[in-house]
Amino acid sequence: MKSYLKGLQAKTVTYKERKAELQAVRAEVNVLLKTKELLESRDKNIQEFTLELEKSKGVSGFQATQSQLEKVSANKSDLDKDKGSTLDETSAIVDRINQTLAAKKANLAPQIKELRAVREEYKEVEQEYRSRKTQHDNTMLALQTERARLEEDLAKLKSDLAAEESQFHFLNSLKVVHEARLQMMTDELNFQRGEGRLSDEHQTMHEKLEATIREQEVRAKKLRKRQKKIRQGFEENVAQRNMFLQLRYLMQQKYAAVQETRASTLAEQQQEQDNFMRIGQADDAVERLVFD
């Protein structure tokens, strides 16, 4: 906008210079036109005289050409007037714009001043904010580092605690087992001294274990005898089983044959009964025909 206004001002100055020159030319033209009218009023045949003079000088058509030039000059003058009026209007518009801008600047001057103050305050606040943010970031980084270290230490302590708890429970279990064994040994010594009994059947644990061992040995002997007997009669048992399977197959086949024979006999009896009934019906029919 500023460059446009500068260009417009330069054009306005040029316009004013050209306008002054144009006014001078117009004044001179007016003087010449008045001179021409005066001369024409003095001599009515000046046009014919001029034509003859042009012919004698060898410049025929000079007056017509001059007349056309005058018309062109008049048209140019009109165009210049239009341009002048346009430039005047443009200059007036520029002046109004400048006045409006000056008024706006005057109205905005307090706000601009206030804005500058706010900008300065904003710069100070932003600088303070950046400083505080840098301090905050550094503090946050230090705290995060410390937190990571503490979390690592806590994880290690938890792992150690879990290991210690596992060791504690293991040792406690061993303690319970050893205490139970110690109590059992103490009771066994007391039982051997005659201070009490393990049960009604056995005096001590040793006696119970010996009795259990003897029972297991007897049971093992019985199982070995049974195993030996099964091994000795294995082939015979297999052959006997095969014979029973064959016998079962024969009985099934015999049962099927009996069923088939019974079904065939029933069918024959039914056929004979049907034939007998048909014969009886035929005899009745013949008797009715005879009597009829």
Side-chain angles (χ1 to χ4, degrees), residues 282-292:
D283 292 338
D284 294 338
V286 170
E287 289 178 357
R288 285 197 299 270
L289 288 175
V290 171
F291 287 118
D292 292 340

Side-chain angles (χ1 to χ4, degrees), residues 87-98:
L87 290 174
D88 290 337
E89 292 175 358
T90 305
S91 179
I93 292 171
V94 170
D95 292 336
R96 287 198 298 272
I97 291 173
N98 289 330

Side-chain angles (χ1 to χ4, degrees), residues 90 111 170 174 201 238 247 253:
T90 305
Q111 298 179 5
F170 175 72
L174 288 179
E201 298 177 357
V238 171
L247 178 62
Q253 294 296 323

Side-chain angles (χ1 to χ4, degrees), residues 14 74 83 90 172 243:
T14 304
K83 289 181 179 179
T90 305
N172 192 24
M243 291 173 64

Side-chain angles (χ1 to χ4, degrees), residues 95-110 112:
D95 292 336
R96 287 198 298 272
I97 291 173
N98 289 330
Q99 292 175 1
T100 304
L101 289 175
K104 293 291 184 182
K105 286 181 180 179
N107 293 329
L108 292 174
I112 292 173

Side-chain angles (χ1 to χ4, degrees), residues 200-214:
D200 295 337
E201 298 177 357
H202 304 288
Q203 175 69 29
T204 63
M205 180 65 68
H206 182 71
E207 292 179 0
K208 182 179 179 181
L209 291 176
E210 286 182 349
T212 304
I213 292 171
R214 286 194 296 272

